[in-house]
């Protein structure tokens, strides 16, 4: 394939990527090289890739771009929280949780990020209706993102063993959160007449898990914990993987599905 045609293929790929994802935030050089390898079966000079790739990154985002999935709407300002070292917002956390539940085929329940705040503010009565159409006790895993001040952490509940596990990417332990969740589960069990779940709960503070080395990636760590726990994969990732994970999450949100 001659250079002119190859450049045309390259630009076509960039344009389709731009339209699909609204910006070039999730684009990596490896994406470009992989696409060109598939379409041209040749090794394009790194100079051409880098030049056009950088030009693409400088392009303005697609005006009015939005991702809609179920009741979730993501604008570019939401997706932009996945760029560099920005803090993730609730919209990103909650839609990604929806994708996790889809993959788990009703075996995992992901609580909205506002659930815990409402529980603390108004007690069980304030969140009782949140599970009106959900049988928590038929799930094998519950995932509750916890946002305290400016930090995200995770509570994961294994229903078979009645274990409430606390995951934190900075090793911080907010023990009152696990106690509050235990009380919630006991109240929910009474409300739903599930005698077996009214007692016997255990609390575990999970140590030896991947830890962040900055002050901005806690939300990304929580989503990666959730993703891997929901499909029973080991937590084998690190701070070094954060740039790639951020790009992957951005693409998954726009694709409205988790990638293999």
């Amino acid at each position: 394939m001659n250079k002119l045609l190859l450049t045309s293929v390259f630009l076509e790929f960039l344009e389709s990527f731009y339209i699909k994802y609204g910006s070039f935030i999730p684009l990596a050089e490896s994406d470009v090289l992989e696409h060109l390898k598939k379409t041209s079966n040749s090794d394009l000079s790194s100079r051409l890739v880098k030049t056009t790739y950088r030009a693409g990154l400088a392009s303005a985002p697609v005006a009015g771009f939005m991702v809609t999935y179920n009741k979730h709407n993501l604008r570019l300002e939401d997706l932009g929280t996945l760029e560099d070292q920005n803090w993730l917002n609730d919209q990103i956390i909650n839609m990604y949780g929806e994708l996790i539940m889809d993959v788990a085929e009703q075996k995992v329940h992901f609580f909205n990020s506002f659930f815990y705040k409402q529980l603390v503010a108004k007690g069980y009565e304030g969140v009782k209706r949140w599970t009106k159409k959900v049988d928590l006790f038929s799930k094998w895993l519950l995932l509750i993102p916890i946002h305290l001040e400016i930090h995200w952490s995770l509570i994961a509940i294994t229903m078979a063993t009645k274990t409430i596990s606390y995951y934190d990417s900075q090793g911080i332990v907010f023990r009152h959160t696990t106690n509050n969740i235990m009380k919630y589960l006991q109240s929910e069990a009474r409300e739903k007449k599930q005698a077996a779940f009214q007692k016997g709960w255990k609390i575990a503070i999970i140590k030896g898990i991947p830890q962040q080395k900055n002050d901005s990636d806690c939300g990304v760590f929580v989503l990666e914990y959730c993703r891997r726990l929901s499909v029973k994969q080991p937590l084998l990732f690190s701070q070094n993987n954060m740039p790639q994970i951020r790009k992957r999450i951005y693409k998954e949100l726009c694709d409205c599905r988790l990638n293999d």
Side-chain angles (χ1 to χ4, degrees):
M1 187 179 290
N2 63 48
K3 185 175 180 180
L4 186 60
L5 184 55
L6 206 52
T7 304
S8 176
V9 170
F10 191 8
L11 293 175
E12 185 180 334
F13 166 71
L14 286 178
E15 182 179 7
S16 63
F17 189 99
Y18 178 68
I19 292 171
K20 184 175 183 179
Y21 298 111
S23 75
F24 287 114
I25 291 173
L27 182 65
E29 277 188 45
S30 57
D31 296 323
V32 179
L33 290 170
E34 183 180 349
H35 175 77
L36 290 171
K37 192 171 184 180
K38 288 179 181 178
T39 56
S40 68
N41 294 317
S42 65
D43 294 324
L44 190 65
S45 71
S46 60
R47 183 177 179 181
L48 177 58
V49 170
K50 290 179 183 295
T51 300
T52 316
Y53 170 68
R54 287 170 183 167
L57 293 182
S59 302
V62 176
F65 182 82
M66 181 182 291
V67 177
T68 300
Y69 183 72
N70 290 347
K71 296 180 180 179
H72 300 277
N73 294 307
L74 296 182
R75 295 177 171 80
L76 272 173
E77 61 191 56
D78 301 314
L79 291 164
T81 65
L82 285 159
E83 185 176 17
D84 297 329
Q85 294 188 22
N86 292 331
W87 294 347
L88 302 196
N89 66 13
D90 292 278
Q91 287 75 15
I92 294 295
I93 297 287
N94 291 328
M95 182 168 157
Y96 201 73
E98 190 91 18
L99 300 183
I100 287 173
M101 287 194 289
D102 287 348
V103 167
E105 298 178 342
Q106 307 303 315
K107 296 177 182 177
V108 173
H109 184 71
F110 184 97
F111 283 80
N112 185 285
S113 64
F114 297 106
F115 167 80
Y116 184 74
K117 294 176 185 176
Q118 184 80 348
L119 174 65
V120 172
K122 298 188 176 181
Y124 179 71
E125 290 300 315
V127 295
K128 184 169 67 174
R129 292 180 59 82
W130 288 48
T131 54
K132 184 178 179 181
K133 298 180 180 180
V134 180
D135 179 8
L136 295 182
F137 305 103
S138 68
K139 312 293 182 182
W140 72 269
L141 180 68
L142 310 181
L143 299 169
I144 307 177
I146 307 291
H147 194 210
L148 298 176
E149 300 297 334
I150 57 172
H151 183 61
W152 289 100
S153 56
L154 173 70
I155 288 180
I157 300 140
T158 306
M159 300 303 281
T161 59
K162 290 191 280 191
T163 303
I164 301 167
S165 301
Y166 190 86
Y167 294 79
D168 190 280
S169 57
Q170 289 187 329
I172 304 169
V173 179
F174 297 105
R175 291 190 180 274
H176 63 281
T177 59
T178 51
N179 291 333
N180 287 337
I181 294 301
M182 180 186 290
K183 292 175 184 176
Y184 164 77
L185 291 167
Q186 290 169 334
S187 296
E188 180 78 355
R190 285 192 295 271
E191 177 70 20
K192 299 291 178 65
K193 297 180 172 53
Q194 294 281 347
F197 291 95
Q198 291 179 26
K199 57 184 179 180
W201 291 98
K202 302 181 290 291
I203 293 175
I205 307 301
I206 307 301
K207 299 180 180 180
I209 56 176
Q211 298 285 283
Q212 66 185 101
K213 296 182 179 179
N214 59 24
D215 294 323
S216 55
D217 283 327
C218 54
V220 187
F221 272 80
V222 163
L223 290 186
E224 194 65 7
Y225 293 153
C226 288
R227 187 186 204 275
R228 290 172 178 262
L229 290 171
S230 68
V231 294
K232 300 182 180 180
Q233 289 181 347
L235 302 182
L236 298 177
F237 64 96
S238 71
Q239 179 67 57
N240 293 336
N241 301 123
M242 285 298 106
Q244 296 95 328
I245 291 173
R246 281 177 175 267
K247 289 177 184 293
R248 193 204 70 222
I249 290 173
Y250 188 119
K251 290 178 184 176
E252 289 174 327
L253 289 167
C254 290
D255 294 341
C256 296
R257 63 178 177 82
L258 300 188
N259 299 325
D260 294 333

